[in-house]
Amino acid sequence: MIEGQGIPTLVIGTAHDIMTQVTPPRAAFVDHPVGRTFGPPHERARHELVLTKALAELEQFARPGEIRDLKINWSPDGSRAWEDELRAELLRDR
Amino acid sequence: MPFEYLPIMAQHAAPKPPRVLAAPSKPAWCGLSKPARESRIALLSSAALRLVDQAPFIPREDLSYRRLPVDPGGGAIVIDHHSGIGQVPRQDPEIVFPRTVLAKLAAQGIIGALSPFHFSFMGGVRRHEEIENTLAPALTRELQQAGVDLALLVPY
């Protein structure tokens, strides 16, 4: 809606499946848990890495609805152990 | 393979049907008018962020928004969003609202300038028609008045 009024937008998000469904004009995917889009608390270097990589992708978008993977993992070793903790967090307030 | 949120949302909503995700039939597209290093940029967060002395958001269907200072020293940020994921971002809202890093990039000339304000609203609201007809146009007007060239949206 903002984009439709002439202001370019970039979504920086962690939920690839949701972004696939809602099709924002430009989306940068960060493979972090939701609610930690830019990294762990107080790790400014990681926050800066995510933001600068997202901005660097801007001119690469060629068509609406494209999702570009920033190729940043939550765990340096690529572990997916964070997913179990996140699942519990997301269901906590049922 | 990325973490799948939609099955969790369905489990969370049960026995009600899962939330309907609204998507445009055809995504809007507006070409970049200038590169990031020349652009005035605003952050938009759906985490229902506010300053301590601003009126709280009222979960879960609040359609208001808040202007937030772009200066990292402009006041502590409160997260009003009702999501269960809030415990960690409340330790450091910068992980969903990186205004300190964005200000640093502006000072370094990596982006052109900061918008006079950043903005936040309540994500996950189901009143799609009112979002489309009221909230989104109001935010768009704010961005236009601020001369924003690029809006960075961070879903929560």
Side-chain angles (χ1 to χ4, degrees), chain B residues 1-104:
Chain B
M1 177 163 174
F3 185 88
E4 293 188 337
Y5 290 88
L6 292 171
I8 302 283
M9 288 170 65
Q11 189 179 345
H12 190 275
K16 295 179 185 173
R19 178 184 301 156
V20 174
L21 298 176
S25 56
K26 183 182 176 188
W29 180 260
C30 167
L32 300 170
S33 60
K34 49 185 79 168
R37 66 179 179 280
E38 296 174 14
S39 294
R40 178 174 291 184
I41 296 179
L43 288 171
L44 274 73
S45 165
S46 58
L49 307 177
R50 63 176 171 91
L51 297 174
V52 173
D53 59 357
Q54 289 179 319
F57 286 92
I58 303 168
R60 301 179 176 248
E61 298 293 312
D62 197 324
L63 282 171
S64 63
Y65 67 90
R66 305 286 179 273
R67 292 178 184 151
L68 299 168
V70 298
D71 178 353
I77 297 293
V78 177
I79 299 177
D80 278 343
H81 200 284
H82 50 81
S83 166
I85 63 168
Q87 193 175 345
V88 175
R90 284 189 176 94
Q91 296 170 24
D92 177 19
E94 295 271 345
I95 69 176
V96 293
F97 181 65
R99 67 174 175 171
T100 295
V101 168
L102 195 64
K104 179 181 175 185

Side-chain angles (χ1 to χ4, degrees), chain A residues 2 7, chain B residues 40-50 54 57 64-70 77 96-99 102 114-122 135 138-148 150-154:
Chain A
I2 293 170
I7 298 175
Chain B
R40 178 174 291 184
I41 296 179
L43 288 171
L44 274 73
S45 165
S46 58
L49 307 177
R50 63 176 171 91
Q54 289 179 319
F57 286 92
S64 63
Y65 67 90
R66 305 286 179 273
R67 292 178 184 151
L68 299 168
V70 298
I77 297 293
V96 293
F97 181 65
R99 67 174 175 171
L102 195 64
L114 296 171
S115 163
F117 297 102
H118 298 312
F119 301 91
S120 188
F121 51 91
M122 178 75 73
L135 176 59
L139 285 169
T140 302
R141 281 193 296 276
E142 291 271 12
L143 296 170
Q144 289 169 332
Q145 287 166 8
V148 166
L150 174 69
L152 299 179
L153 281 66
V154 185

Side-chain angles (χ1 to χ4, degrees), chain A residues 33-34 36 74-75 80-92, chain B residues 3 8 84-85 87-88 91:
Chain A
V34 67
R36 287 98 151 149
W74 178 252
S75 302
R80 311 294 298 181
W82 55 269
E83 293 187 341
D84 290 338
E85 185 183 335
L86 176 63
R87 196 169 285 108
E89 248 184 85
L90 291 169
L91 292 170
R92 192 173 296 155
Chain B
F3 185 88
I8 302 283
I85 63 168
Q87 193 175 345
V88 175
Q91 296 170 24

Side-chain angles (χ1 to χ4, degrees), chain A residues 39-69:
Chain A
H42 309 295
E43 289 193 16
R44 294 289 178 264
R46 173 83 76 97
H47 306 172
E48 185 169 344
L49 174 69
V50 173
L51 188 54
T52 54
K53 286 193 85 164
L55 290 169
E57 288 295 321
L58 265 176
E59 296 182 42
Q60 305 305 316
F61 287 91
R63 55 183 168 76
E66 189 175 353
I67 302 173
R68 299 189 65 85
D69 186 347

